[in-house]
Amino acid sequence: MCESCELSLNRREFLGTTFALSGAASALAASTEEPKLAPRPKDPPVVDVVFLYPPADVVNAGELEDHWRVHQWFTWPGNQFQPEEQEKKFKQKLQEMAGRLGIHLQLAPRAIYQSAAVQQFIEAAKNGRPDAVLVINFWNTFAEWSYRIATEVAPRAIVYQPVGSNHQLPRDFLRNTPGLWYIHSIENWPELERSLRAIRACKMLAQSRLLRVSTKVEEPTQESDPDLGVDIVHVPTSELIAIFDSIEVNDQLVAQASELRRQAAAVWDVTDQFVVEAVRAHQAVQSIMARYGADAITIECLMLKHRKPCISFALLNGQLVPAGCENMVDGTITMMIGRWLWDRAGFMHNPEFDTTENLYMGAHCTCAWKLHGPEGAEQKFIIRPFFHQLPKTAALDVQWTPGEPVVLAKYYSGGKKIACWTGEVIASPPCPPVGGCATRVLVKFDKVEDVCSVYPGIHPILFCVDRKDARALRAFAHLNKFEWVGNI
């Protein structure tokens, strides 16, 4: 398929132009020690693209391979649709999307309208082993061909068919086949981009590494998430403690702590010492991630005393490096998914419920103040103590924006299941009168009669994401053949 590429990024260009997307652990911290594991290579997702429609002269000559040919008939979308011009527009839009997302598109050089050409495309594309195939079908009677290409070329597929190019109901085999995401809409560029983001997330997760720091292991061990292929490395907590204890407090650490205090709206009941310790913990977390070439991390963190990484996790998540509390795989991988779907930080939290007002509250100590991406708007935050145990280490009380749309998500590792609920922020209720943890956010979900019915289990993730963009997660679940639970 290479000879038909119209947009091609090699691996070096991909990583060099999309650092904010790559999350490469080697860029997190300078380290003189030899890493124990090199970062996993990151190759761009490869998507084959093919258009289906016949030239007008073929239809007029009665040579098209459908039952209307004896009438020289233009089935839907009809002879006014101008498919050649539509193809040019689609290619331009796809190239723009691929450039933003770091996706390698391989476009077939011309539209296909013959059964032999369909078979030839399938065989050539399969040999190239793309990550996904995108079929754009402009012809009603080619639905079966679009299905064949979608199900035979690659493990995941998108079929896009504009409204007006299908007659009567869309085919069930397009709408309901797991692994095939069907878009039947009117020039819907956002939905196309959401589906490409889902493909990107699948590819990048399969090339990512999650580091788990735990008291339950004595030597490093390695496994793989069974459904998404995330490499998971377990290391003992003693390694992190040794790194932390080896870091000396110097002028640079003190200066970084002062800058953190300066950015805060206020500092409540936290001494300078523990802000410095928070920066020290951040350096330790970066170092252990670099040591193991990790793209994400989760730590059994509650009993680390003055070494707790609450602020480190807030900083990392704000830079799109997923960091999850309490050695939690499901929640941390959910943040990894959201990082690639939306380029947004996720807020791992514990759920609480106002059953009288039918509202949901998420509370935890590691919320990023950059909830809209590294270059996006920042939230106001207060530095205050970790809520549960002495010493009074630093954590963040991040103020969420009332009225902002949010998505609650949870991936169930090994369960082939994703939950997703849309809603909007009501407030960040103060403590007191409400309790919980350092950051608290109150949410009202859409079309939910009993808020307790959305309970997704421990440590789900909240993202600041528009309701329609939640469909990227719906596409991700469908492309991976996962069970879907939620309100979209």
Side-chain angles (χ1 to χ4, degrees):
M1 298 298 296
C2 292
E3 66 275 11
S4 65
C5 297
E6 294 198 8
L7 178 67
S8 178
L9 296 175
N10 65 34
R11 182 172 177 270
R12 178 174 295 178
E13 289 171 332
F14 172 70
L15 295 177
T17 60
T18 60
F19 167 73
L21 301 180
S22 69
S26 59
L28 292 173
S31 176
T32 58
E33 70 170 288
E34 188 72 21
K36 294 187 177 182
L37 287 175
R40 298 183 74 185
K42 304 291 191 296
D43 294 318
V46 176
V47 179
D48 282 0
V49 183
V50 63
F51 288 80
L52 301 183
Y53 67 87
D57 57 353
V58 171
V59 181
N60 286 325
E63 296 173 351
L64 184 62
E65 296 175 12
D66 71 2
H67 64 278
W68 292 106
R69 64 182 177 274
V70 296
H71 306 289
Q72 295 84 43
W73 190 265
F74 286 77
T75 186
W76 285 36
N79 63 0
Q80 305 297 304
F81 183 70
Q82 300 178 323
E84 292 86 356
E85 296 304 313
Q86 296 300 314
E87 180 180 355
K88 291 177 186 176
K89 185 191 298 185
F90 271 75
K91 284 183 174 179
Q92 179 185 346
K93 293 290 187 180
L94 288 169
Q95 288 170 341
E96 292 170 359
M97 294 176 199
R100 285 195 300 272
L101 301 177
I103 290 175
H104 179 157
L105 294 183
Q106 298 185 147
L107 293 103
R110 60 189 62 84
I112 293 175
Y113 60 94
Q114 299 162 312
S115 59
V118 169
Q119 185 60 38
Q120 184 179 24
F121 175 84
I122 290 172
E123 292 173 0
K126 283 171 64 175
N127 290 336
R129 301 176 64 86
D131 297 295
V133 61
L134 167 58
V135 184
I136 300 173
N137 181 18
F138 292 157
W139 202 256
N140 177 42
T141 59
F142 291 175
E144 286 79 6
W145 287 352
S146 63
Y147 176 79
R148 276 200 60 202
I149 294 169
T151 55
E152 295 181 32
V153 166
R156 299 175 179 90
I158 306 158
V159 173
Y160 186 104
Q161 190 168 9
V163 168
S165 62
N166 178 76
H167 195 269
Q168 310 298 330
L169 283 174
R171 309 314 200 265
D172 282 344
F173 55 73
L174 292 174
R175 295 181 61 212
N176 299 315
T177 297
L180 189 168
W181 185 243
Y182 182 57
I183 304 172
H184 191 45
S185 191
I186 302 174
E187 204 167 80
N188 198 327
W189 312 124
E191 185 72 359
L192 257 176
E193 180 161 334
R194 292 177 199 121
S195 63
L196 289 175
R197 284 177 174 272
I199 295 297
R200 181 183 71 166
C202 295
K203 175 74 171 187
M204 301 313 294
L205 286 160
Q207 301 178 113
S208 296
R209 178 173 296 135
L210 169 60
L211 184 66
R212 297 184 71 182
V213 180
S214 170
T215 60
K216 299 176 178 63
V217 296
E218 296 181 357
E219 296 290 338
T221 60
Q222 209 162 347
E223 62 175 324
S224 179
D225 177 80
D227 298 323
L228 296 177
V230 177
D231 183 36
I232 302 174
V233 176
H234 304 253
V235 300
T237 304
S238 56
E239 274 200 53
L240 178 65
I241 290 174
I243 293 172
F244 180 99
D245 291 349
S246 71
I247 297 171
E248 297 182 359
V249 176
N250 54 30
D251 290 344
Q252 183 181 13
L253 282 180
V254 172
Q256 290 171 347
S258 296
E259 174 61 18
L260 183 64
R261 289 175 61 92
R262 186 193 67 77
Q263 292 182 55
V267 181
W268 294 349
D269 200 23
V270 176
T271 64
D272 289 349
Q273 172 196 348
F274 287 114
V275 181
V276 171
E277 296 288 57
V279 175
R280 198 176 170 200
H282 184 47
Q283 186 170 328
V285 171
Q286 289 178 303
S287 294
I288 199 167
M289 290 186 72
R291 178 181 289 183
Y292 286 95
D295 302 287
I297 189 168
T298 181
I299 297 175
E300 190 181 329
C301 48
L302 292 178
M303 302 303 170
L304 288 176
K305 298 182 180 178
H306 61 290
R307 307 179 186 88
K308 288 194 288 291
C310 304
I311 285 181
S312 176
F313 282 13
L315 285 162
L316 290 171
N317 283 316
Q319 293 301 317
L320 302 183
V321 180
C325 317
E326 300 181 49
N327 196 23
M328 188 68 188
V329 168
D330 289 4
T332 308
I333 294 182
T334 305
M335 288 195 286
M336 296 171 76
I337 294 169
R339 176 258 177 281
W340 287 109
L341 285 181
W342 301 306
D343 305 309
R344 296 289 176 93
F347 175 40
M348 181 183 285
H349 60 275
N350 284 314
E352 245 281 45
F353 303 87
D354 184 330
T355 57
T356 300
E357 300 297 331
N358 206 42
L359 299 176
Y360 178 97
M361 187 180 81
H364 230 290
C365 54
T366 61
C367 184
W369 66 90
K370 288 179 172 287
L371 291 171
H372 302 87
E375 307 304 322
E378 298 182 356
Q379 307 300 119
K380 185 176 85 170
F381 68 91
I382 298 160
I383 298 175
R384 65 188 305 175
F386 176 74
F387 269 38
H388 305 304
Q389 178 184 343
L390 294 175
K392 290 185 177 180
T393 52
L396 300 184
D397 187 341
V398 176
Q399 304 298 297
W400 291 55
T401 304
E404 176 149 27
V406 291
V407 165
L408 176 71
K410 178 72 178 286
Y411 164 70
Y412 299 85
S413 179
K416 294 188 176 296
K417 177 180 174 182
I418 285 180
C420 174
W421 305 86
T422 62
E424 69 177 42
V425 175
I426 300 300
S428 288
C431 175
V434 73
C437 205
T439 293
R440 301 154 312 285
V441 55
L442 204 61
V443 173
K444 181 168 183 61
F445 288 117
D446 304 324
K447 305 174 187 176
V448 171
E449 293 184 3
D450 177 7
V451 67
C452 294
S453 67
V454 311
Y455 179 64
I458 190 171
H459 289 157
I461 312 298
L462 274 169
F463 296 92
C464 289
V465 176
D466 290 341
R467 290 171 171 86
K468 281 193 174 181
D469 286 335
R471 286 184 55 79
L473 185 59
R474 181 74 181 88
F476 178 85
H478 192 78
L479 288 165
N480 284 291
K481 305 177 183 179
F482 292 163
E483 178 188 353
W484 176 258
V485 178
N487 63 350
I488 68 166

